[in-house]
Amino acid sequence: MAAAGSVTVALHVAEVLETIVSGCLGPEGRQVLCTKPTGEVLLSRDGGRLLKALHLEHPVARVMVACVSSHLRKTGDGAKTFIIFLCHLLRGLREITDKEKDYFIFENIQTCGRHWKNCCQWKFISQALLTFQTQILDYIMDHYLSRHFLSIFSSCSKERTLCRSSLEMLLGAYFCGRVGRNNHNLISQLMCDYVFKCTACESRFEEVLEIVDDCFVELKVGVTGLPVSDSRIIAGLVLQRDFSVYCPADGDIRIAIVTETIQPLFSVSGSEFILNSEAQFQTSQLWITERTKAIVKHLQSQNVKLLLSTVKQPDLVIYCAGLNGISVVECLSSEELSLIQRVIGLAPFTLPEASSQYELSHTALVEFCKPLILRSKRYVHLGLMSTCSFTPHCVVLCGPVQGLIEQHEDALHGAFKMLRQVFKDLDLNYVTQTSDQNCTSGPCIYENSRENNELPKIVNSSIQRSYQDTVVKSKGELAKTQTNLKVCSNLIVPGVKLEKNVLCSGPKVAVTDSYQTEETLRCSSPNKGTIMDDHEPYIESNSANSTTENTRREISYGNLQVTKLARKDSMLSLRYKSLEMHTSQSYYFSSIPAGCVLPVGGNFEILLHYYLLNYAKKCQQSEQTMVSRIIANALLGVPRILYKSKKGNYSFPQVYVRALQTLQTNQPMISNQTGLESVAGKYQLLTSVLQCLTNILTVDLVISIERQPQEICDQDSEEEL
Amino acid sequence: MALNGAGEDMDCGGLWLRGSGSTLLQQDLPAPCASLPPEVDDFSWEPPTEAEMKVLQARRERQDRISRLMGDYLLRGYRMLGETCADCGTILLQDKQRKIYCVACQELDSDVDKDNPALNAQAALSQAREHQLASASEPPLSSRPAPQPPVPRPEHCEGAAAGLKAVQGPPPPAVLPNADVVACTQEALLQKLTWASAELGSSTSLETSIQLCSLIRACAEALRSLQQLQH
C-alpha cells in the first residue's frame, strides 16, 4: 500500500466517521440512533460508545477506533473531538501533498523512484509531527497559553480549596455534551454532590478520585423502572448481594471476612481420607459439626455480627450463624472485597488450625448493617468507618430502561477519569534551539529504540537530587498508547558522569556535586560515524534567568560530542544532525499546575491556532512551519462545528474575528459561555491524535490474514526431553 | 501472502515492499531542510483555474455525499469492509445478508452516466427529441415513446409512481380548441422559426448558436403539438 494511498483511504474513513460523530458534538448536538448488527438499537450522544458499536472491518478504521478507545480509557473525554481533529489533519495533509500531483490523473504514472520519494516524504512528515509535539507544542503551551488559564481552585496558595461552582461548571460542560438534554443538569449535580460527600478532607481529592475511578463498578447501583430524577446518593456501601441469613443487631457491630468455608471438609485436595466403617464416618461428621459450632461461637464471642464470605458457605454454617445472631453474606466478588479492604483495611479472618488456638482475629467495627430494598431487589447496606480519605457513598442511578442507566454510568465513570486528569500536574518538557548564524541543523530527533511502555519518570524538581535511572517521561503519560516510533519529548539530562566544571545555572538552582544520570547518546554526525566512548561533555554555563514564577530550569549544552554509555535498559538514542555547528540546545522543564481550565466553546483551539500561526511566521525551518500551519488550521474544525447552528453575532466567523482582535491587542479574552473544560484533557487529546496520525502515516503495507497468528509454543522443553 | 486493497493501487505502481522501518530512520535523509521532494518547488505551482475549481468543488461535494451515505449505512448496521470498489475506489459496505454494496456505484449518479440514455430518462428524452428534430419537416412518425399524452417516466426516476398516478388521474380534454387560435399560434411559431434560422446563419458565437438551436427545437415541438391538436 502506498503511503500516499493510505492517506487518501484514511481520509475517506475519517470522513465517514466524522459525519457520524459531528452531529452529536457539543451542547447543541443531537442523539444518534445506531442499529447494532445484533439488532439492538442504541440511542446515544457518547462518541466512544457510538464508535464501538459500529461494525468496522477496515484496518485503518479499526486503528482509529482503537486509538480512541485507549485515549478514553485514560482520560474519559474527547472521542468525537478526536475524530474530527484527525479528519481535518488528514485533509490538510492531503491538500499539501496534492499540490504536486495532477488533479485529473488517477492512474498510476509514477515510477518506483518517485513513489519511494513520496513515502520518504510521509515518513518525514510523521517525524515532523512528532517533533512538533516535543519542540513547539509544549513551548507554546508554556509561554503563551498559560497566561489564559483559569483555575478551579479558589486560592493558589498551598492550601487549595476546590471551588464548588467551578466544579459544577466543569462537570456541567462535560455532561452537556454526553448525556441527553433533559438529564444532564441532574447528573452533573449528582456527581458534584458525590465528590464533595466522598471527600473527607479538602485536599485529598486525588486519592478519592483514584479510588472511585478504580472501583466505580462497585460504587454504583442501577435501578430500572424509576424515573431518572429518583437517582440519589446513599451513604455507606451497597453490596450487590442479599443476606443469606439476617439477624438484626443493635449496639456495636463488628464484621469479619472469610475467604474459605468455615466448615471443615472431609478431606482437602492432595490428601486422602480413608474410611473403614460407618462409625468412623459418623464420628467424622460429628467432629465437623462440633468444630463449626465452635468457630461460630468464637466469632460471636468477638462480637462479630456480620460475616462476609467470598465463597458459598454450607448450610450448617448458615444455621449456626443464625442461631448465634450472626448475619451472613456470601459470594462477594473479589472487587467488592478489595474495595472494603481498601476502605477499612481489614484482612480476612484466618481459621485457626486447632480448636485451642484462637488468635486475635481480624474484625472491624461498622456503623450499621441492614438490608436495602430498591424496587424489589434486596441489597446489603453497610455503613463503613473509613480509615482512608474516602468516605464511602454509593450512587443509585435510576432510569426507565437499562440502556439509559448504562449510558449514565459510563458518563459518570468518564467524568471521574476526566477529574483525575484535572487534578494532576501536567509536565511540559521542551527544547529550544538558540542557534548561531551559520547553523543549519535539523530538528533533534529522539527515538525510543525499544517498544517499552515503561518509561522511567523524569524528575521535575530540583536538579540537586541525584538520580540513577534514566529520566525520560513522555508527554502527558501517553506512553500507554502504542506507537512504533515513540518520541520522548524530553529531556535527557545528560547521563554521562560529569567530573569537572559542571555548572548549571538557573536562578534558584545550584548544582554543586556531579550528578549521575545515564543515557545513551549515539552520535551519527557525518564525520563521526562510530560510537565514541571517551568524551566528556562540555557544559556551558548559561546565564539566562527565568524570572517567571514557574519553576523553569534551563540547562544548555553546547558542542555536545559525547556518546557513551550503553546502559542496558536505557532507552534513548539521541541523534544530532550536525555537531560541528555551534548550536546550543536549551532544555526546559515546566509544568502546568493542577486544576487549570479554560472556558468552553473552542477557546483552547482558537488560542492555540493563533499562537501556532504566529510561531509559524517566525519559524525558519520549513517543515516545522508546514506542520504548524496544518495543525493550526485543523484545530479550527472543532469550533466551527460547535458554532454551526449559531447565527449573527455568535456565528463562528464573528467569534473568531473577535478572538483574534482581543489577542492581537493583548486584552483578556472574555467568553460568554458558562462552562469549563480541562486543559490537561485538551492537551492529551492533541498528543493522542498526533500519535494516531503518525501510526496511520507510517503504514506501508496492509496484509489481510484469516485469523490471528498462533502463539508459538515453547518447543525447547520438548526437545530437551 | 494476501495483499489488501486492490482499489488502493490508484497511486501505487504495483507491488513493492519496504524494509523495516528502523533501517529507514537510520539513514541520513537527503536534505534536512527540504520538506518536499526536490523536483517540486513553489514556483511551478499555480492556482487552479475556474474550470478546475468547479471540478474540484463537484468532486468534493460528491465525496461528502458519499461519506454521508456511508455514515448512514454504518449506523443502520452495515459493515465497513477493508476493500475498495474496483470501479470507483470507494470503500465497500456489506449488509446483514452478506451482500456487498458500493455506495457510489449503486446510489449516486456518476458524472458519466448522466449522459447515457440507457440509464437516464432525461437523456433518453433528449435523444428522442433530437431524433424528432431531425425529422421535423416530415409528418410526425410513430417513433414517439407511447401514445399517452404526458411523457411516460421509467420506474427509477424520482416520483415515478406519483407521476404515473397523475398521468392516469385526470382524463385528457375532449374539447378541441378553436381553429383560429391554432392558426395564429402556428403563424407566430413559423415567424419565430424563420427569424431564428436567419439569426443562426449570421451568428458567430457558440453560445448564441446553441441557444438558437434550442429555440428552433422548441418551436418545432410546439408546432408538432399543435398539429396533433388539429388531428
Side-chain angles (χ1 to χ4, degrees), chain A residues 148-412:
Chain A
H148 297 276
F149 293 157
L150 310 170
S151 178
I152 53 173
F153 295 115
S154 40
S155 70
C156 295
S157 57
K158 281 184 207 152
E159 270 295 321
R160 22 177 230 197
T161 53
L162 182 61
C163 172
R164 182 170 176 129
S165 56
S166 314
L167 185 68
E168 281 174 9
M169 288 203 292
L170 181 66
L171 292 176
Y174 179 86
F175 286 112
C176 203
R178 198 163 268 98
V179 171
R181 220 172 286 199
N182 41 351
N183 290 327
H184 73 257
N185 276 331
L186 196 127
I187 302 278
S188 64
Q189 279 297 319
L190 194 72
M191 175 149 171
C192 228
D193 293 337
Y194 186 80
V195 169
F196 277 99
K197 278 186 184 169
C198 280
T199 317
C201 171
E202 275 289 325
S203 56
R204 308 289 288 275
F205 280 106
E206 296 91 8
E207 294 177 32
V208 169
L209 288 173
E210 191 187 329
I211 295 179
V212 174
D213 183 25
D214 290 340
C215 309
F216 184 71
V217 179
E218 288 78 47
L219 290 171
K220 55 106 178 136
V221 178
V223 180
T224 54
L226 292 176
V228 180
S229 49
D230 279 358
S231 307
R232 59 192 184 277
I233 301 175
I234 296 184
L237 188 62
V238 174
L239 301 175
Q240 311 268 352
R241 308 283 314 168
D242 189 18
F243 285 104
S244 310
V245 58
Y246 176 59
C247 310
D250 298 325
D252 285 345
I253 304 176
R254 301 195 79 91
I255 65 168
I257 301 177
V258 286
T259 50
E260 49 190 3
T261 59
I262 291 181
Q263 174 175 333
L265 302 167
F266 276 110
S267 68
V268 294
S269 65
S271 69
E272 283 182 22
F273 184 64
I274 303 174
L275 284 175
N276 290 329
S277 67
E278 176 89 16
Q280 275 189 349
F281 179 66
Q282 292 192 350
T283 324
S284 312
Q285 270 194 322
L286 201 60
W287 179 82
I288 287 173
T289 318
E290 290 306 312
R291 179 102 173 97
T292 313
K293 284 185 185 164
I295 294 178
V296 173
K297 267 254 167 359
H298 169 68
L299 282 175
Q300 193 215 15
S301 68
Q302 301 270 320
N303 217 10
V304 168
K305 297 284 172 54
L306 174 65
L307 193 64
L308 296 173
S309 163
T310 52
V311 296
K312 179 119 180 67
Q313 299 288 341
D315 297 333
L316 178 62
V317 173
I318 309 281
Y319 173 68
C320 291
L323 282 182
N324 286 292
I326 302 179
S327 313
V328 178
V329 181
E330 296 170 306
C331 301
L332 278 185
S333 67
S334 54
E335 289 89 11
E336 281 173 331
L337 187 67
S338 63
L339 174 62
I340 293 175
Q341 287 180 325
R342 216 164 154 178
V343 171
I344 58 178
L346 177 65
F349 175 77
T350 48
L351 295 169
E353 292 289 335
S355 55
S356 55
Q357 284 177 0
Y358 286 120
E359 310 140 353
L360 196 61
S361 48
H362 302 277
T363 61
L365 198 62
V366 295
E367 288 174 2
F368 58 83
C369 135
K370 53 189 186 206
L372 176 69
I373 302 182
L374 290 172
R375 187 122 177 124
S376 81
K377 265 191 90 173
R378 294 170 63 96
Y379 301 92
V380 171
H381 190 192
L382 276 184
L384 297 174
M385 293 160 93
S386 162
T387 55
C388 66
S389 49
F390 171 58
T391 317
H393 283 73
C394 265
V395 180
V396 175
L397 284 171
C398 303
V401 286
Q402 183 61 24
L404 191 63
I405 295 179
E406 277 174 14
Q407 293 194 27
H408 291 165
E409 284 169 4
D410 283 349
L412 275 177

Side-chain angles (χ1 to χ4, degrees), chain A residues 606-662:
Chain A
I606 293 179
L607 284 171
L608 191 59
H609 162 88
Y610 174 75
Y611 289 120
L612 271 179
L613 283 185
N614 279 357
Y615 179 85
K617 283 180 205 151
K618 290 186 270 183
C619 185
Q620 293 125 356
Q621 293 160 340
S622 55
E623 70 272 358
Q624 285 188 358
T625 315
M626 177 184 80
V627 165
S628 305
R629 284 225 180 90
I630 293 176
I631 294 182
N633 290 330
L635 278 169
L636 287 185
V638 174
R640 211 176 268 142
I641 295 183
L642 285 175
Y643 288 103
K644 193 165 58 174
S645 57
K646 302 258 170 62
K647 298 216 171 14
N649 226 12
Y650 296 106
S651 64
F652 174 67
Q654 293 281 341
V655 167
Y656 180 62
V657 164
R658 273 204 299 269
L660 283 194
Q661 281 170 352
T662 50

Side-chain angles (χ1 to χ4, degrees), chain A residues 459-482:
Chain A
V459 174
N460 191 15
S461 62
S462 160
I463 303 180
Q464 284 165 343
R465 206 187 293 181
S466 65
Y467 35 95
Q468 265 82 26
D469 298 327
T470 32
V471 283
V472 172
K473 183 172 183 186
S474 82
K475 216 38 74 14
E477 298 159 20
L478 277 173
K480 303 203 177 117
T481 57
Q482 297 164 4

Side-chain angles (χ1 to χ4, degrees), chain A residues 545-561:
Chain A
N545 288 324
S546 69
T547 52
T548 61
E549 287 174 7
N550 283 339
T551 54
R552 196 189 287 158
R553 284 161 306 284
E554 185 180 322
I555 313 165
S556 86
Y557 307 98
N559 293 345
L560 196 55
Q561 298 167 355

